[in-house]
Amino acid sequence: MIPIEFLRQFRIGEYAIFDFVVAFLGIYLLSPLLSKIFLKLRIDIPKKNWLFLTLPIGIIAHLIVGKMTPLTRNFMDIHGHYVLKIIIFGLLFLGLRNITIIKKK
C-alpha cells in the first residue's frame, strides 16, 4: 500500500493535489444521495451544484472542527490571498445559484 504522505507530496503551490482529488471525487459520488436527502427536506439542489460547493463546504467544515489546513488558513488571512477568496466566493455563488425551495402543495 502506498503511504498517504507519498500521495500528498505532489502539490500545486502549497496545496496537495491528492486532497482536492479526494474531495471532488467524494462529493461527486455522494451528490446523488445528498440531493435525495435535501429533496426530502424540500430543498432541490442539483447534483452539479455540489461540485461547486465542495471547497466552501470544506473550509466551513475545517473551521468547525478547528483544523487549519493551508487552504483554510489562507482563506482566513485578512491581509492577502484575495484571488483565493474571490474563487471561493465565486464557487459559493455558483453552488447556491440553482438551489430552489419546494413549496408545499
Side-chain angles (χ1 to χ4, degrees):
M1 181 170 170
I2 299 174
I4 193 117
E5 291 81 22
F6 173 74
L7 294 173
R8 294 189 79 234
Q9 77 179 357
F10 303 102
R11 300 180 172 273
I12 296 176
E14 59 184 308
Y15 308 120
I17 297 171
F18 176 75
D19 294 342
F20 287 110
V21 170
V22 169
F24 282 104
L25 183 63
I27 287 291
Y28 176 76
L29 295 174
L30 287 174
S31 64
L33 176 65
L34 292 170
S35 291
K36 285 181 184 178
I37 290 171
F38 276 87
L39 199 55
K40 289 183 181 187
L41 299 172
R42 296 188 343 250
I43 300 172
D44 183 25
I45 304 176
K47 293 173 187 73
K48 70 175 181 174
N49 284 37
W50 288 108
L51 291 174
F52 290 126
L53 292 171
T54 302
L55 293 180
I57 289 172
I59 289 174
I60 292 168
H62 284 107
L63 287 173
I64 289 171
V65 298
K67 177 79 172 154
M68 293 304 283
T69 64
L71 183 69
T72 306
R73 184 182 65 246
N74 291 342
F75 182 76
M76 296 304 294
D77 180 19
I78 60 172
H79 299 293
H81 304 285
Y82 298 114
V83 174
L84 173 67
K85 291 174 182 151
I86 290 169
I87 290 170
I88 297 298
F89 282 120
L91 288 172
L92 183 64
F93 172 75
L94 290 172
L96 295 176
R97 188 174 57 173
N98 292 327
I99 295 176
T100 57
I101 296 175
I102 301 170
K103 297 180 182 179
K104 289 184 179 181
K105 293 180 181 179

